[in-house]
Structures are given as structure tokens and as C-alpha cells.
Amino acid sequence: MEEFAESFLRYMRYERRCSPLTEVAYRSDLKLYSDYLAEKGFGPIWQGKARYLRKWIMHLLSGGMLARSVNRKIASVRSYYRYLFREEIIDNNPCAIISNVKTPKRLPVFLHTEQMDMMLDKCEFTDDYEGVRDRTILQLFYLSGMRLMELVNMTDSQIDFGNQFLIVNGKRSKQRIIPFTNVLNSILISYLELRNSEFGAGAAGGRLFLTAKGEPIYPKLVYRVVHKHIEMVSTVTRKSPHVLRHTFATALLNNGADLMAIKELLGHSSLTATQIYAHSDFEHLNKVYNQAHPWAANKEE
């Protein structure tokens, strides 16, 4: 990787405070573009032209890459050139005239309330530490809407039992407060009592969730837990922790929460990201229509 790219990545890490996963994505995207330029004889990436970038985009699309994935790579390269322009390393930003590839609007995948009830109340969980931990993980996702890495990195100190709220460390080190009810309060207290009896208070640096060996939990383990239990109650194609985040937001919206409140709870930087939840499944839509429209078929005449 060229010198300017490395300085850009340091800037993203230390000044923009991007997550390690985001930094890995930036590095991968820039290397992919750099390798393409080298293969075509177009020179180093920092000397790139808009026409080179267009050719690369067409190359990715013709190779079968999805528009959404291409746009993520464009965003990485765009951030890099903005950095070079701001640092006066280049005179013109080649991305200034580059637009994103159009993508079909994709509604979020979520579970219905009945499916979540079935998962948490009817699926069998063992009474040992792993069983209680797995159930608590699913409940925390559903009751807080937090992201995978936010849950993985959660510590005991981020739970305020007195005031009943979670302090969540989100993207770019942004903190947000998520209130919780007596239900989650009881769930967390019961889990912590069992965990502490198994491993002692403050094990693994105070991390909230641990493996069966008392080590900090890791993303793949959480993903497997979520995938396994979603598969038990639903046929949705995606079965990731993000589906439970979508489920949290959709449940709030369908029960009267406004988008601004949901935005704050999810930790979105703009309302645009939250607006994908401004949808309803057909069952809910049909219910609202039949209750509200004066000529609805199921109203008494």
C-alpha cells in the first residue's frame, strides 16, 4: 500500500476513530482499486483520474459484484481522495463527478412479534451458563437494538441498574443511552448472578458476555447463536444479529414510536438511515386500513 494510503488509514483510525472492521474494509477497498490501476498501467492510486474510476466501477459490475457492494468501495475511494484534496496532495478530486450506482430499495428483514415470543419462550435453552447466556444475548438484542460489536464489547460498567439504562459505545466512539425496563433489569441480574458464580465478578476485564471458558465472547459465536435460534422460528433468508436490530426498530415503529426516537435509540447519525423502517408488513398494513378507512370491507355497515 502506498504511503499516502497508509497516512489516510492512520487518519481514519486516530482522528475519525473508525472501528477496526471499518479500517479493514477501507484497506481492502483501496488495495483492490490500487491493484486494478497497476494491472491496467494507470499508475499509483493517488494520481487516479475520474475515467479510471469509472472503468473500475464497470469492471466490478461486469464481474458480478452487487451494486451495494460497489457503492461501499466507491465510498472508501471517495473518502481517500477527499483526504488527499484536503491535505493539498492533489489539486482535483477525481471523485467529485462520480455518482453511486443505483441500487434497488431493500426493505429490512425482521421477525414478527409472535416469532420473537416463540424464540424466547418456547425454544429450549439449557439451564447451564451457556444456555442462560445465549437467551440473554437474544433478549438484549431484541430489547436494545444494539449492533453486534456493541454487544460483543459491552462491559458490566456500561449497565446502570439504578437508573435502568445502558451506555452503548457505537460507531466512531459515539456513546448513546438506551433505557431498559424492569423486564431486562431482571434478565441481566439473573444472568450476572450465574456468570459471577461460574467465573467470578470482573472476569475477562469486566466484559459482560463470556465463553464457556470464561474468555471474552467473540462475533462468530454470537452470530452462530442468533442464526441457530432464528432458524428455529422463521424462514427469512438472513439470520444475522442485524435482523434482531431490525426487529427491535420495526416493533417500536409498529407500536407508535416516532422515527426521531428510533434514530436516537439505534445510534444513527442521520434520519435517512432510520427511514428504511418506515414500512409495515402486509398484516399490519391490512389491519390499519380496515380500522381506519370508512369503506373498509370488515366494518359493520
Side-chain angles (χ1 to χ4, degrees), residues 106-162:
R106 186 175 67 182
L107 291 177
V109 176
F110 64 96
L111 301 183
H112 298 280
T113 302
E114 296 78 10
Q115 292 171 315
M116 285 303 306
D117 290 343
M118 185 182 300
M119 178 194 295
L120 297 171
D121 297 332
K122 296 184 179 180
C123 289
E124 293 186 2
F125 294 88
T126 57
D127 293 330
D128 59 4
Y129 170 71
E130 287 185 276
V132 174
R133 179 204 63 196
D134 292 353
R135 192 169 192 271
T136 303
I137 285 172
L138 296 169
Q139 291 168 317
L140 187 55
F141 271 132
Y142 182 46
L143 292 169
S144 71
M146 66 176 62
R147 301 177 179 93
L148 170 60
M149 293 308 299
E150 292 170 348
L151 181 139
V152 167
N153 294 323
M154 171 90 36
T155 63
D156 294 359
S157 62
Q158 291 173 244
I159 307 173
D160 187 325
F161 285 104

Side-chain angles (χ1 to χ4, degrees), residues 224-261:
R224 287 199 299 268
V225 169
V226 173
H227 186 281
K228 170 186 173 182
H229 288 89
I230 290 181
E231 198 166 45
M232 290 180 179
V233 299
S234 175
T235 58
V236 292
T237 54
R238 298 179 64 198
K239 300 177 178 66
S240 69
H242 222 67
V243 171
L244 299 185
R245 180 169 161 86
H246 292 326
T247 301
F248 166 80
T250 302
L252 290 179
L253 186 68
N254 285 346
N255 285 281
D258 64 81
L259 282 176
M260 285 302 297

Side-chain angles (χ1 to χ4, degrees), residues 64-215:
M65 185 175 289
L66 296 177
R68 193 175 300 275
S69 297
V70 173
N71 283 338
R72 197 207 71 186
K73 298 183 185 308
I74 294 173
S76 297
V77 175
R78 182 180 287 120
S79 295
Y80 172 61
Y81 281 127
R82 282 176 180 167
Y83 167 79
L84 294 181
F85 184 73
R86 187 171 55 252
E87 295 296 312
E88 299 183 350
I89 296 170
I90 58 175
D91 296 326
N92 296 293
N93 182 351
C95 277
I97 58 174
I98 300 296
S99 301
N100 281 353
V101 179
K102 288 186 178 181
T103 58
K105 191 172 183 179
R106 186 175 67 182
L107 291 177
V109 176
F110 64 96
L111 301 183
H112 298 280
T113 302
E114 296 78 10
Q115 292 171 315
M116 285 303 306
D117 290 343
M118 185 182 300
M119 178 194 295
L120 297 171
D121 297 332
K122 296 184 179 180
C123 289
E124 293 186 2
F125 294 88
T126 57
D127 293 330
D128 59 4
Y129 170 71
E130 287 185 276
V132 174
R133 179 204 63 196
D134 292 353
R135 192 169 192 271
T136 303
I137 285 172
L138 296 169
Q139 291 168 317
L140 187 55
F141 271 132
Y142 182 46
L143 292 169
S144 71
M146 66 176 62
R147 301 177 179 93
L148 170 60
M149 293 308 299
E150 292 170 348
L151 181 139
V152 167
N153 294 323
M154 171 90 36
T155 63
D156 294 359
S157 62
Q158 291 173 244
I159 307 173
D160 187 325
F161 285 104
N163 296 301
Q164 292 196 177
F165 63 76
L166 305 171
I167 303 171
V168 179
N169 296 319
K171 290 183 176 180
R172 296 183 182 139
S173 301
K174 291 182 180 178
Q175 286 191 335
R176 67 183 186 279
I177 302 297
I178 300 179
F180 60 83
T181 63
N182 292 333
V183 174
L184 184 55
N185 189 78
S186 299
I187 290 169
L188 290 173
I189 288 175
S190 297
Y191 163 73
L192 286 172
E193 287 177 350
L194 178 59
R195 189 206 65 185
N196 291 345
S197 69
E198 290 281 332
F199 307 108
R207 292 280 282 274
L208 178 60
F209 293 111
L210 308 177
T211 67
K213 296 181 179 179
E215 299 171 349

